[in-house]
Amino acid sequence: EVKLVESGGGLVQAGGSLRLSCAASGFIFDDYATIGWFRQAPGKEREGISCISSSGDSTYVADSVKGRFTISSDNAKNTVYLQINSPKPEDTAVYYCAVSPAQCPIAVHTTFFISSWGQGTQVTVSS
């Protein structure tokens, strides 16, 4: 059974930092082409913000978070990370990790290509 568990969310002040983790079980990263991060703010659609290829060779970060968010992976631990620096109140959302057989970044341009989702972790940025 494919299982993705996010952690690391919480309340953070604007300008601070936090790191989200996505621990995968029931499969290895090589079983999928891409591991990605999406977020969904209240009243808004779920949007893809970052992804990394299963090999770790290719990454993508959306323009809306470029320069502040960094994605990385540790394949030995079957874990993907999203480092969030200088968060802004508009980054407040539930953050989800997901896996896809599609290539990064196509895999996160829409939710259509996602095979499995984590349960999400709330990130709240205070001003």
Side-chain angles (χ1 to χ4, degrees), residues 26-72:
F27 70 101
I28 58 174
F29 284 168
D30 285 346
D31 289 342
Y32 292 91
T34 297
I35 305 92
W37 285 95
F38 287 72
R39 68 183 181 184
Q40 188 165 20
K44 295 189 176 181
E45 292 187 352
R46 193 169 297 190
E47 64 167 332
I49 55 172
S50 187
C51 59
I52 187 167
S53 62
S54 59
S55 65
D57 293 340
S58 178
T59 63
Y60 162 80
V61 178
D63 288 343
S64 60
V65 300
K66 192 170 291 182
R68 300 185 298 116
F69 289 22
T70 304
I71 191 170
S72 62

Side-chain angles (χ1 to χ4, degrees), residues 70-113:
T70 304
I71 191 170
S72 62
S73 63
D74 184 337
N75 286 27
K77 294 183 178 180
N78 240 27
T79 300
V80 172
Y81 304 98
L82 186 68
Q83 179 69 39
I84 300 175
N85 295 328
S86 301
K88 304 175 181 179
E90 52 263 43
D91 294 322
T92 294
V94 178
Y95 284 70
Y96 299 89
C97 70
V99 292
S100 172
Q103 298 296 319
C104 172
I106 292 174
V108 296
H109 285 171
T110 170
T111 60
F112 179 80
F113 297 118

